[in-house]
């Protein structure tokens, strides 16, 4: 939920309710532009081509794990330390920090899953102004140029990436504050913000231990307004450490398509930022966010991907402070005809994209992910930050939420509605009103007097519940949670050492310091059944407002000069806060089960590594067609950044959807990884059966289609968990050489087998679907009609249509018996949909375990089955013989798409016997259906078409 007025109770919020009624979109004045952010203004004020940095090549130290050499700013004489690593798996790490800082600078902890294994470096060339390092056996070389400092990364003769080629390295060193009169604003001619005009400090030695007296212009620039104190609206940010920002540019020759750096409500392909603001990464609670702009939203992952038909690269900027990303391109603004004309005339520049990262504090710590394929980049990033946690199976079902279900009777009535209307549902959700006066870990005694009984009734129906637990704690001496946090000193502090307090849903609230490992351990302990009174094993958790949201704070968040564990300022680690909240909550769920059961935690804020702890969503959207449409590129962008478990609020959080929009949103949401309907307090009720029987039937069908495909979804999540590949992915990940796919973001792949194009236009009668893959075929999953690729296909649609195509050459498992929840589907039989390639082949797999525990990991209790069709024979074998799992599930049916009619069909189990199978063949669509093979899904067998 956004910090929307109308949600706070009594006195305060008559004004707020009026604001909600009149607000149509975000109030931009509440959030900074780059020009209003002092460090972004200073960084952006530095112009290309005037780098003051020189690499001291004679200082090179080559160790067994890294190369180290000094850089010096020739104006300020402040030395920096450059560290270089060649990491196993085609990754290069670059780190730049002060050689002799006045005090430590923040380096991001807890994001990397381990220290990456390194390759041995070697000097392979040296001349007067440069040196060359080999980075390992893959043939990558790094050319370091002395003056101005620059690095070029090559593989063979191909230049992959240049660092500081535009001379935009800008490292604001720590310094002592000088007392002076209030300075005037620097003029444009003085270039006020340029790094080359910084003042020297008392520690200005370079390799020769020399210092230089600053010029008048230098002194002025050093005291630029905003360097030591900055005011935005009514909030003043004191900066005891002064200006500490870092920035660096990267040039990517041969690339004109870049992606990633979520979260932004924008197209999948990132746009150039020249003439506007850079993309901002700063976790914020944005009320009714606007679409198609670079404003910051709830989460941040500083990972950018560049893709061309030849190669994919990634840049992972490991910095948790406020960050801005500028993107420029030498092809920006050129029409397709202009590019074609350049090509025909043999002229034109090589396409190139330049990316500039700017962070308020910390150090430069960047990983270059060298691919060369999209899957390789995904794997390289996953090796650094971890893969998507394997969710419990129920979490892939349908979730019904609202702010708020009023009481236990309301919950029972909604649950009954799913039974009466035969709509599958796994989880009911409770928002902030369920707690006693917004005191989390409690229940409202009048509305939810018997929470354990309520949860047990849900469990009897094989359903779960999620309750909200936000990280702002009501300041109330009668509230046990608050008293414990205060007595243990676990709250974030103000700059003066008192507990930091702000305004949020409970009124006056304090904020636990989740950066403190002891606090996180305490928070995790609160999920124990004897601590979280009324909780049971089927209660899971939603962490909202964890940017953190502070209604009374600058930009609706925490003051940057608040102080965390270890003395670090909030500015240093802001974007980590939400990750730590989700981490501690997930650990609490694991601990309460004695380490047996997988957690489910939904978080609104996130950072790199959040994928290890649960699910995320796109935040407080609106019931508008454009918001439905933007959910696709937003979730695709999340997936590229490792966050596979993503969805949007079905129906839109704000406003009331008309029936057509609601139906289309359910149809789209059923094909996104996280599938939850959610709505604002002031909206009309919108459970699936409240829009008339015709629409209820359409919504029921969409949800049932989701449940039928759960074996496919669960297997895709297992693959993502093991390999780091996104579950929902852009077409270019599967077809990296097809330039037509590079800008497509209204259709996508689920794993490698299904192509989905949701209907997102009001009143649509058809959609244009691009079917990629030269020499491939695709099958409409409803009509089973075969289509040859590549082609753009016009697909007529009705209100029941969800254009989905199965890729020829794949096998998709389904469970098609209608049940109320995923737990009721355990042991149900399977149907295999075998879509043949033009060569008459297909392959796919199925992952099975108990759906809830870590036994698949700790005890190898799982089945991973491989299905292969070749030579008119479908075979089942083990994809991973290390696992074993006993299940009564059996094979009920096989549907083979794209085959002729056989004379006979024979089942051959592992014992070598043969049994004839009944079958039906539809000549018009070339679909062969085999009835009741009856073999156990975990057994080896073959089905032969003769």
């Amino acid at each position: 939920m956004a910090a929307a007025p109308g949600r706070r109770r009594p006195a305060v919020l008559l004004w707020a309710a009026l604001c909600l009624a009149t607000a149509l979109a975000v109030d931009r004045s509440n959030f900074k532009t780059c020009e209003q952010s002092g460090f972004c203004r200073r960084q952006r004020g530095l112009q290309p081509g005037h780098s003051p940095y020189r690499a001291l090549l004679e200082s090179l130290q080559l160790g067994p794990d890294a190369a180290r050499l000094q850089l010096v700013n020739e104006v300020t004489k402040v030395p920096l330390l450059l560290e270089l690593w060649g990491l196993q798996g085609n990754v290069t790490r670059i780190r730049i920090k002060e050689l002799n800082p006045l005090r430590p600078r923040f380096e991001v902890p807890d994001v990397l899953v381990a220290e990456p294994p390194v390759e041995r470096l070697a000097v392979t060339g040296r001349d007067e102004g440069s040196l060359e390092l080999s980075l390992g056996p893959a043939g990558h070389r790094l050319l370091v140029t002395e003056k101005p400092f620059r690095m070029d990364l090559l593989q063979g003769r191909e230049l992959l990436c240049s660092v500081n080629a535009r001379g935009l390295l800008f490292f604001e060193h720590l310094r002592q504050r000088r007392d002076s009169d209030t300075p005037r604003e620097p003029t444009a001619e003085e270039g006020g913000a340029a790094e080359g005009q910084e003042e020297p400090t008392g520690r200005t030695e370079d390799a020769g231990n020399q210092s230089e007296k600053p010029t008048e212009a230098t002194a002025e620039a050093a005291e630029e307004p905003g360097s030591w104190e900055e005011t935005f609206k009514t909030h003043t940010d004191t900066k005891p450490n002064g200006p500490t920002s870092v920035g660096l540019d990267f040039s990517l020759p041969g690339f004109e398509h870049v992606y990633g750096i979520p979260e932004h409500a924008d197209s999948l392909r990132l746009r150039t930022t020249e003439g506007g603001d850079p993309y901002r990464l700063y976790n914020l609670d944005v009320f009714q966010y606007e679409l198609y702009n670079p404003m910051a939203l709830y989460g941040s992952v500083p990972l950018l991907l560049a893709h061309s038909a030849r190669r994919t690269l990634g840049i992972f900027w490991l910095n948790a402070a406020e960050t801005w990303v500028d993107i420029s391109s030498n092809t920006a603004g050129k029409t397709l005809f202009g590019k074609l004309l350049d090509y025909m005339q043999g002229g034109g520049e090589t396409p190139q994209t330049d990316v500039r990262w700017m962070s308020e504090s910390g150090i430069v710590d960047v990983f270059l992910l060298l691919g060369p394929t999209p899957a390789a980049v995904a794997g390289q990033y996953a090796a650094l930050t971890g893969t998507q946690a394997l969710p419990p199976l129920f979490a892939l079902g349908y979730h019904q939420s609202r702010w708020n279900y009023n009481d236990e009777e309301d919950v029972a009535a909604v649950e009954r509605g799913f039974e009466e209307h035969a709509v599958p549902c796994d989880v009911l959700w409770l928002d902030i009103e369920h707690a006693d006066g917004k005191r989390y870990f409690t229940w409202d005694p009048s509305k939810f007097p018997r929470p354990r009984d309520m949860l047990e009734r849900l469990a009897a129906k094989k359903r779960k519940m999620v309750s909200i637990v936000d990280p702002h704690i009501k300041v109330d001496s009668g509230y046990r949670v608050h008293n414990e946090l205060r007595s243990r000193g676990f709250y974030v502090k103000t700059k003066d050492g008192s507990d930091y307090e702000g305004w949020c849903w409970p009124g006056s609230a304090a904020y636990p310091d989740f950066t403190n490992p002891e606090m996180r351990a305490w928070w995790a302990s609160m999920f124990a059944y004897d601590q979280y009174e009324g909780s049971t094993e089927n209660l899971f958790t939603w962490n909202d407002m964890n940017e953190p949201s502070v209604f009374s704070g600058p930009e609706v968040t925490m003051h940057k000069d608040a102080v965390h564990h270890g003395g670090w300022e909030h500015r240093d680690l802001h974007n980590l806060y939400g990750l730590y909240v989700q981490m501690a909550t997930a650990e609490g769920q694991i601990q309460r089960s004695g380490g047996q059961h997988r957690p489910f935690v939904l978080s609104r804020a996130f950072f790199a590594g959040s994928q290890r702890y649960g699910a995320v969503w796109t935040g407080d959207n609106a019931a508008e067609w454009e918001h439905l449409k933007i959910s696709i590129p937003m979730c695709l962008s999340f997936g590229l950044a490792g966050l596979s478990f993503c969805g949007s609020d079905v129906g839109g959080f704000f406003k009331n959807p008309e029936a057509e929009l609601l139906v289309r949103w359910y149809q789209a949401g059923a094909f996104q990884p996280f599938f939850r309907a959610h709505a604002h307090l002031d909206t009309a009720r919108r459970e699936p059966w409240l829009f008339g029987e015709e629409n209820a039937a359409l919504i029921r069908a969409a949800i049932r289609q989701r449940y039928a495909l759960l074996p496919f979804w669960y297997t895709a999540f297992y693959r993502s968990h093991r390999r780091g590949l996104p579950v929902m992915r852009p077409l270019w990940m599967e077809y990296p050489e097809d330039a037509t796919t590079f800008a497509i973001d209204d259709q996508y792949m689920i794993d490698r087998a299904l192509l989905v194009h949701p209907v997102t236009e009001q009143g649509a009668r058809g959609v244009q679907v691009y079917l990629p893959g030269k020499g491939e075929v695709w099958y409409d999953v409803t009509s089973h009609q075969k289509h040859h690729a590549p082609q753009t296909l016009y697909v007529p649609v009705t209100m029941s249509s969800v254009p989905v195509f199965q890729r020829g050459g794949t096998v998709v498992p389904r469970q098609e018996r209608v049940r109320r929840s995923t737990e009721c589907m355990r042991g149900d039989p399977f149907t295999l949909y075998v879509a043949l390639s033009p060569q008459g082949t297909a392959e796919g797999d199925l992952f099975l375990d108990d759906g809830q525990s870590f036994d698949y990991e700790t005890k190898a209790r799982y089945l991973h089955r491989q299905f292969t069709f070749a030579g008119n024979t479908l075979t089942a074998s083990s994809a991973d013989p290390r696992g074993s799992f006993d299940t009564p599930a059996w094979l009920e049916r096989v549907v083979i798409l794209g085959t002729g009619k056989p004379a006979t069909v024979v089942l051959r189990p592992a014992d070598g016997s043969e049994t004839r199978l009944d079958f039906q063949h539809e000549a018009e669509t070339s679909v062969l259906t085999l009835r009741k093979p009856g073999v156990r899904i975990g057994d080896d067998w073959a089905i032969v078409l003769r």
Side-chain angles (χ1 to χ4, degrees), residues 262-460:
E263 178 181 17
H264 300 96
D266 208 344
S267 54
L268 174 64
R269 180 190 175 189
L270 300 173
R271 294 172 291 127
T272 57
T273 57
E274 295 161 305
D277 260 5
Y279 284 96
R280 192 183 188 197
L281 296 173
Y282 190 58
N283 296 359
L284 291 173
D285 180 358
V286 182
F287 171 66
Q288 290 203 356
Y289 56 82
E290 289 185 8
L291 308 185
Y292 304 106
N293 73 51
M295 288 179 66
L297 289 178
Y298 312 99
S300 303
V301 181
L303 172 69
L304 179 140
L305 278 68
H307 178 71
S308 72
R310 296 182 59 192
R311 178 180 288 271
T312 309
L313 292 178
I315 302 174
F316 175 37
W317 177 267
L318 184 54
N319 190 301
E322 178 186 350
T323 297
W324 299 76
V325 185
D326 253 330
I327 299 171
S328 58
S329 169
N330 62 3
T331 60
K334 284 190 177 180
T335 64
L336 183 63
F337 175 76
K339 294 177 186 178
L340 182 62
L341 190 62
D342 283 346
Y343 175 78
M344 292 174 63
Q345 294 176 345
E349 300 174 273
T350 299
Q352 177 169 304
T353 296
D354 297 305
V355 182
R356 180 183 190 177
W357 300 79
M358 302 168 282
S359 294
E360 184 175 14
S361 65
I363 65 170
V364 173
D365 193 2
V366 63
F367 296 81
L368 302 179
L369 315 177
L370 303 179
T373 65
V377 170
Q380 288 154 1
Y381 178 69
L384 294 171
T385 66
T387 61
Q388 176 67 55
L390 180 63
L393 181 59
F394 80 82
L396 298 181
Y398 172 64
H399 300 248
Q400 180 68 43
S401 181
R402 161 170 199 87
W403 170 30
N404 204 86
Y405 287 118
N406 299 323
D407 49 33
E408 292 177 3
E409 290 71 28
D410 196 8
V411 169
V414 172
E415 198 274 338
R416 215 165 33 246
F418 282 97
E419 294 292 301
E420 293 169 356
H421 295 90
V423 178
C425 178
D426 263 82
V427 195
L428 297 181
W429 289 54
L430 293 179
D431 211 318
I432 58 172
E433 312 301 336
H434 84 278
D436 183 8
K438 317 290 193 302
R439 298 171 181 88
Y440 305 110
F441 300 104
T442 71
W443 304 83
D444 186 302
S446 61
K447 298 177 181 178
F448 295 91
R450 295 173 295 278
R452 184 175 295 273
D453 292 346
M454 173 183 65
L455 289 163
E456 289 174 350
R457 284 192 297 271
L458 283 174

Side-chain angles (χ1 to χ4, degrees), residues 717-734:
F717 266 92
Y718 179 72
R719 190 169 3 267
S720 178
H721 176 58
R722 289 300 190 207
R723 302 181 189 174
L725 294 169
V727 171
M728 175 181 174
R729 61 186 73 149
L731 268 62
W732 58 260
M733 283 203 77
E734 286 296 314

Side-chain angles (χ1 to χ4, degrees), residues 509-635:
Y511 291 77
D513 186 358
F514 283 89
T515 70
N516 183 346
E518 290 184 28
M519 204 299 298
R520 294 200 300 271
W522 177 87
W523 181 269
S525 74
M526 288 301 297
F527 290 90
Y529 300 125
D530 61 349
Q531 295 294 316
Y532 190 168
E533 188 176 349
S535 64
T536 64
E537 66 178 11
N538 67 322
L539 179 67
F540 297 86
T541 312
W542 172 18
N543 293 146
D544 199 7
M545 316 297 289
N546 55 335
E547 293 77 25
S549 178
V550 184
F551 296 164
S552 55
E555 300 193 90
V556 201
T557 193
M558 188 172 285
H559 292 73
K560 288 182 175 181
D561 55 10
V563 181
H564 289 267
H565 175 70
W568 297 110
E569 285 192 292
H570 187 71
R571 83 180 71 252
D572 297 318
L573 49 80
H574 172 86
N575 289 341
L576 278 176
Y577 191 87
L579 175 145
Y580 278 133
V581 176
Q582 190 179 24
M583 174 195 293
T585 302
E587 182 58 31
Q589 288 187 14
I590 294 169
Q591 288 180 9
R592 75 179 186 181
S593 70
Q596 294 298 306
H597 292 160
R598 284 174 256 160
F600 172 73
V601 183
L602 177 71
S603 174
R604 189 171 71 177
F606 53 82
F607 189 65
S610 288
Q611 66 271 14
R612 307 197 299 265
Y613 305 109
V616 293
W617 91 108
T618 62
D620 298 339
N621 56 4
E624 299 172 358
W625 287 94
E626 286 299 311
H627 276 264
L628 166 59
K629 190 179 302 183
I630 205 73
S631 72
I632 298 172
M634 288 183 76
C635 272

